[in-house]
Amino acid sequence: MPRLPLVLVLAAALTAGCTSGGGPYRPGDQGLDGVRHASTHRGGTLRIVDQVAVDSLDPGRSYLPHVWNLMRLYTRTLVTFAPAPGAGGRELVPDLATDLGTPSRGARTWTFRLRDGVRFEDGSPVTARDVKYGIERTFATDVLPGSPPYLREVLTDPLKPYTGPYSEPDRLGLDTVRTPDDRTIVFDLNQPVPDFPYLLQLPAAAPVPQAGDTGADYGKQPVSSGPYVVKEAGRRIVLARNPQWDPATDPVRTALPDTVTYTPGLSAGQVRKALADGHADLTLSASGVWDEKPSAVLADRDRAAGTDNPQTGGLRYVAIDAHVAPFGTPSCRRAVLYAADLTALRKARGGEYAGDLATSMYPPALAGYRADDPYGLAAHPGGQLARAREELRACGKPGGFAAKVGVEDSAAARASGEALATALRRVGIRLTVVPSVELGVPATVHREGLGLLVASWSADYPAPSGFFPPLVDGRIILARGNTNLAEVDSPAVNATLGRALSAPTLAAGTAQWQALDRLVMAEARFLPFLADRTLLYASPRVTNRYVSAGWGQYDLARLGVE
């Protein structure tokens, strides 16, 4: 099934050069596997600032993970990520539901029971019908564009197409979701989906009361089912306590602050200054506290001790388009992999704290990861020039060849392109770096002869089904907004992908995803080079701070302030 692009800003470039003050010091990283400053203190205001704007406060429209994290404070879903540091944060736990669901029919049907006593901010009970309606409205993509497609893909009945409650108000709703009673909801999927609960933790599965739905304007005043209500939704977002929230029904959220303020859309300098001056407590988005200028964060011992450097789940790579000569020949593609200098590519992104060297297309932060290095990239991070020259002779280009590498139009992306060009020049491959904002338009890529494309991708949830399909599914090579940049359309890849997506169990699926990774790497359609990390910082007044592996961010569900 197709996967559409995630509109996500990944970690910005890091700069590891020394600055005044004796640094740089290493990140403290206590929030990766433990909880910093544990406290049960209630009260105060948690102040969040960010560079990235909010796309929508409507759970049926947002496609930004840092906004999803914020939404957990005013929306609840059937299941959610465990409020725990380390690998435990990737695990799912019941939220509105009493358990993680009961699969049947080979994971084609999933049944959930809702908790008793959960209420919306107006005092009305949250029912199974509200969860069903919240999902139904995401089918109205003409009114609510932009939400993740996953639920629509697996709940669509081709014999009874559904376009949402606005165009079909007289219809009883989506036939593939049943609500036998107020506390029971049953999903009938069009294929086996053993990791279906991962889709239900997305805000698109949050309950919405039909009486309170204002359609396209719902994001201006979403109805809360969580511990906070949206009090202001302008340039600054203000969340205040929801008096209808009962902590006895919520095993995930502690709701310690009285108020949460969120100011998005600031410049990198404004974010750093607000944190440094004590006017803000933390930033959420994956860009963290870095930009393309040297940062003072690690130059100060105390501030460095308060930072965390987690993996984001994102992967940086070079897509190799076989439609552009001479990369239709596998040995010409392999020459690029052997000639590349991963150490230089990581340095171009900022060095040690920018990420870990990647050796395959399977990010280490995803469930089921197994270290695999078919080209010896980790053992030879500076490149294997003799092997590269052998491949050039095999592809009929012993003296090398000229090619172009397309990059996003940013200083960090250009630096990555130049690092690749410098490395490949050692074996006679002469690259021209072409900044472009149309890497996702195959016609432009072909016309400009962009055989190499420097890109990045991140999963919508920490499982391979949320990562691989947009990169390698030959059925979704789009004319515009294409994410399969290498234009992989291999029968073997498509077949393996299909088996992975329809595996009856997660264990069986994991074996297929690992096989898919090996197959894609064997075809030399990608040069992976960096498993992204970011640098997070929060002020000392923030309590219960840990990095959620599910979000790659600090978990708002448990934070407090003192």
Side-chain angles (χ1 to χ4, degrees):
M1 55 185 168
R3 296 287 192 258
L4 298 184
L6 169 64
V7 184
L8 169 64
V9 178
L10 291 173
L14 299 160
T15 302
C18 293
T19 59
S20 60
Y25 297 100
R26 298 189 66 84
D29 282 342
Q30 290 96 334
L32 298 187
D33 296 303
V35 178
R36 295 176 183 264
H37 195 180
S39 174
T40 58
H41 176 76
R42 291 173 60 86
T45 298
L46 178 67
R47 305 159 303 174
I48 307 168
V49 292
D50 251 323
Q51 296 181 54
V52 184
V54 168
D55 53 351
S56 177
L57 294 180
D58 184 336
R61 296 186 70 171
S62 178
Y63 209 158
L64 292 175
H66 68 285
V67 181
W68 296 347
N69 194 359
L70 181 72
M71 284 180 174
R72 269 218 302 185
L73 297 180
Y74 64 89
T75 62
R76 296 179 63 179
T77 46
L78 291 173
V79 299
T80 190
F81 289 121
R90 280 199 299 264
E91 301 298 320
L92 294 175
V93 294
D95 187 0
L96 284 176
T98 58
D99 57 29
L100 295 179
T102 301
S104 58
R105 291 199 311 132
R108 288 177 180 269
T109 294
W110 286 80
T111 302
F112 293 83
R113 288 282 291 170
L114 272 66
R115 297 180 189 275
D116 227 354
V118 182
R119 298 185 177 277
F120 287 112
E121 63 180 86
D122 63 1
S124 61
V126 175
T127 69
R129 176 64 189 135
D130 298 315
V131 176
K132 174 180 166 76
Y133 182 76
I135 293 171
E136 287 173 338
R137 61 196 297 274
T138 68
F139 278 71
T141 55
D142 56 335
V143 179
L144 307 175
S147 69
Y150 306 119
L151 289 169
R152 295 192 296 274
E153 291 170 353
V154 300
L155 290 171
T156 292
D157 182 349
L159 299 179
K160 292 184 178 180
Y162 182 62
T163 56
Y166 310 120
S167 61
E168 302 184 61
D170 297 328
R171 182 169 163 175
L172 293 178
L174 187 60
D175 298 333
T176 52
V177 182
R178 296 179 279 122
T179 54
D181 57 60
D182 282 351
R183 294 183 57 203
T184 305
I185 186 166
V186 183
F187 300 92
D188 294 315
L189 312 182
N190 55 28
Q191 63 186 75
V193 186
D195 56 0
F196 183 62
Y198 274 113
L199 309 189
L200 294 178
Q201 61 80 27
L202 295 168
V208 173
Q210 187 169 5
D213 183 17
T214 54
D217 291 329
Y218 185 71
K220 297 177 181 178
Q221 193 62 60
V223 181
S224 172
S225 54
Y228 295 91
V229 298
V230 178
K231 187 176 180 181
E232 296 180 23
R235 294 184 63 183
R236 187 179 75 146
I237 297 163
V238 178
L239 306 183
R241 290 194 181 280
N242 176 8
Q244 296 294 333
W245 176 71
D246 182 356
T249 70
D250 193 338
V252 174
R253 301 157 187 81
T254 53
L256 295 178
D258 289 332
T259 308
V260 178
T261 65
Y262 183 70
T263 308
L266 302 179
S267 69
Q270 289 173 317
V271 168
R272 288 199 312 274
K273 188 174 189 305
L275 291 170
D277 292 348
H279 296 150
D281 297 312
L282 75 155
T283 182
L284 277 185
S285 65
S287 55
V289 295
W290 291 97
D291 64 3
E292 295 173 10
K293 299 176 181 178
S295 172
V297 176
L298 294 182
D300 179 272
R301 186 190 303 273
D302 292 336
R303 295 189 71 199
T307 61
D308 292 289
N309 187 213
Q311 290 184 340
T312 68
L315 186 78
R316 296 192 184 275
Y317 63 93
V318 179
I320 307 177
D321 194 332
H323 293 82
V324 178
F327 297 113
T329 304
S331 51
C332 286
R333 301 196 295 269
R334 289 193 293 268
V336 172
L337 271 72
Y338 285 124
D341 183 341
L342 267 62
T343 302
L345 283 164
R346 178 164 70 172
K347 185 177 180 181
R349 300 304 309 184
E352 177 183 2
Y353 303 121
D356 305 315
L357 297 183
T359 59
S360 81
M361 290 299 289
Y362 206 127
L366 297 191
Y369 168 76
R370 184 185 68 178
D372 201 2
D373 189 1
Y375 293 93
L377 300 177
H380 307 280
Q384 301 172 71
L385 303 188
R387 293 290 301 272
R389 293 187 179 101
E390 288 177 9
E391 298 292 352
L392 286 174
R393 286 193 291 272
C395 80
K397 305 284 186 181
F401 53 83
K404 295 180 181 179
V405 54
V407 301
E408 295 177 349
D409 194 9
S410 72
R414 289 193 296 272
S416 299
E418 293 294 349
L420 182 65
T422 298
L424 269 54
R425 193 178 304 127
R426 298 177 298 175
V427 296
I429 301 176
R430 302 172 300 282
L431 290 188
T432 300
V433 179
V434 181
S436 172
V437 294
E438 291 193 312
L439 301 185
V441 181
T444 299
V445 169
H446 300 165
R447 184 179 65 251
E448 299 295 329
L450 304 177
L452 305 176
L453 303 169
V454 178
S456 62
W457 190 255
S458 183
D460 289 353
Y461 51 90
S465 59
F467 180 83
F468 279 106
L471 301 183
V472 301
D473 192 336
R475 297 164 295 180
I476 55 169
I477 300 175
L478 306 177
R480 186 169 295 275
N482 178 46
T483 56
N484 183 346
L485 297 182
E487 297 188 69
V488 178
D489 191 11
S490 158
V493 169
N494 289 342
T496 305
L497 177 61
R499 288 193 294 271
L501 288 170
S502 60
T505 66
L506 286 173
T510 294
Q512 292 297 327
W513 292 119
Q514 292 171 346
L516 177 69
D517 181 43
R518 291 193 296 271
L519 183 59
V520 168
M521 290 301 297
E523 293 189 2
R525 302 299 293 271
F526 298 96
L527 164 65
F529 65 88
L530 195 67
D532 260 327
R533 289 183 179 271
T534 189
L535 190 70
L536 302 178
Y537 170 80
S539 71
R541 69 192 292 267
V542 177
T543 63
N544 307 311
R545 176 163 42 117
Y546 60 86
V547 177
S548 165
W551 301 100
Q553 307 164 20
Y554 291 132
D555 189 355
L556 291 187
R558 294 292 177 103
L559 293 186
V561 289
E562 287 187 349

